[in-house]
Structure formats: C-alpha cells, structure tokens
Amino acid sequence: MGLRRHVELGLIGAAFACSGFAALVYQLVWQRLLFGAIGVDVESVTVVVSVFMLGLGIGAWLGGWLADRHPRRIVALFAGFELGIAACGLVSVPVLLGLADTLALLPRIGAGAACFALLLLPTVLMGATLPMLVAHAAENRAMIGQATGWLYFINTLGAALGAWCMAFVLPYWLDLAQIVHLAAALNLAASFGALLAVGRR
C-alpha cells in the first residue's frame, strides 16, 4: 500500500472518529432533553436506546445498498450523510425543547412514539456511514474484514471519547445547544475530511 493510500485512509479514519464522537454526544444530549420532557426513568432511556438500535440497523442496510449501487460516489454520499446528521442535530434541540410541554401532556406511549419518530432519521443516517466507508476502504473482498474492524475500532474510539467528554468536560463549560453545535461542527469536519481524502486522487 502506497503512501497516498495510507494518507487517504488516515483522513477517512479521522473523519469517522469525529463522526463517532458526535454520535455519542447527540445520544446523550437527546437523553437529557427527554429527561426534561417525559421524566427520568427507564422508559425515556429505552426510547433513545431503541431508536438508536433500530436506526443504526436500518442505516447499515441502506449504506450497504448504496455502496453496491454507487461505489464511485460512496465517499461523497458519506459526506452528504454527515451533513444531514449535522442538520438534524442542530434542529433537534429547539424541536425537542419546543415540544417538551406537549410531550409531557401525552400518554407515555404517545410521548415515546413521538420521540421515536423524531430521532429515527438522524440515527438512520448515522448507521449508514460504516458500510459506506467499508466499501471505500476495502480494496477487494479479501480486505472487507480488516476494513470493517479498523473502521469500527476508530468509530468506537471516537464514541468513547465523546462519552467521556460528556461526563467530565462539556457540560461544565457549555449548555446543551452549544454542545450540539460542537457535535455538528465535528460532522462538518468529517464530511470535509472524507472529501479531502478522495480529492487527493
């Protein structure tokens, strides 16, 4: 593997680490917003965890489907999905805050279904990113396992750092809206980094 390919994959990895950091930040911010809307209990935690699992699963299928049909445009699609995640993240705080009083008045199952519907799109976009980058990073079928493991590690490392920062750093310096702006900036950085990587070709 040449130097150019190493640099390209390094940029792709950095982009995916930023994406993982942002995803965990969104998850924890949304969880805190739901605590204020429908209460601090197992139901609100279940809503966020369930929508993340479903969204990531649907997104993984979608990302694989797109990778098979648009292999030459897959990094551009990844960049577009990252922009979509940033847009969803930016509107999520005012939307959830604006609906907090309404959600509090709904029956618990109705409030949970509404939150589920609001958060499904961004989680689908998040789930699609891994198979997209695997399709790009794997030069052939024999390297799919290696590419998957490496990208999953990088993404998980970014997510772990995001979780740590949400526990010990960010809430002490920023409010929830500012934290989401930071996460959206990381999505923008991931989008730009991925395009820069393939732009080197």
Side-chain angles (χ1 to χ4, degrees):
M1 186 183 296
L3 177 61
R4 178 176 296 182
R5 180 64 171 170
H6 278 296
V7 172
E8 179 181 324
L9 292 180
L11 287 170
I12 290 290
F16 209 34
C18 290
S19 180
F21 186 107
L24 251 292
V25 168
Y26 289 133
Q27 181 178 357
L28 295 175
V29 167
W30 293 337
Q31 190 70 75
R32 294 191 182 193
L33 290 173
L34 287 184
F35 283 164
I38 60 178
V40 182
D41 51 28
V42 68
E43 286 85 359
S44 60
V45 174
T46 301
V47 167
V48 173
V49 173
S50 297
V51 72
F52 257 80
M53 293 299 102
L54 179 62
L56 293 178
I58 295 173
W61 172 83
L62 176 62
W65 185 84
L66 290 172
D68 288 340
R69 283 154 183 79
H70 306 284
R72 295 185 179 276
R73 300 178 180 176
I74 200 61
V75 175
L77 287 171
F78 167 83
F81 274 47
E82 286 293 325
L83 294 178
I85 295 168
C88 290
L90 289 174
V91 302
S92 66
V93 174
V95 168
L96 289 174
L97 288 176
L99 293 176
D101 292 339
T102 302
L103 292 174
L105 295 174
L106 291 176
R108 181 55 58 90
I109 189 170
C115 295
F116 201 94
L118 288 170
L119 301 181
L120 185 59
L121 175 59
T123 56
V124 168
L125 296 178
M126 291 174 190
T129 55
L130 175 61
M132 287 180 177
L133 291 188
V134 168
H136 174 74
E139 294 182 310
N140 52 61
R141 289 186 177 274
M143 295 184 64
I144 288 178
Q146 179 181 353
T148 303
W150 174 70
L151 286 169
Y152 192 80
F153 165 74
I154 291 294
N155 188 248
T156 303
L157 191 63
L161 180 59
W164 184 86
C165 287
M166 279 297 292
F168 300 107
V169 180
L170 296 180
Y172 298 99
W173 296 94
L174 305 172
D175 61 30
L176 291 182
Q178 291 170 330
I179 291 172
V180 165
H181 289 160
L182 173 62
L186 289 173
N187 290 129
L188 295 177
S191 179
F192 177 76
L195 292 177
L196 180 63
V198 295
R200 292 178 62 85
R201 296 186 179 185

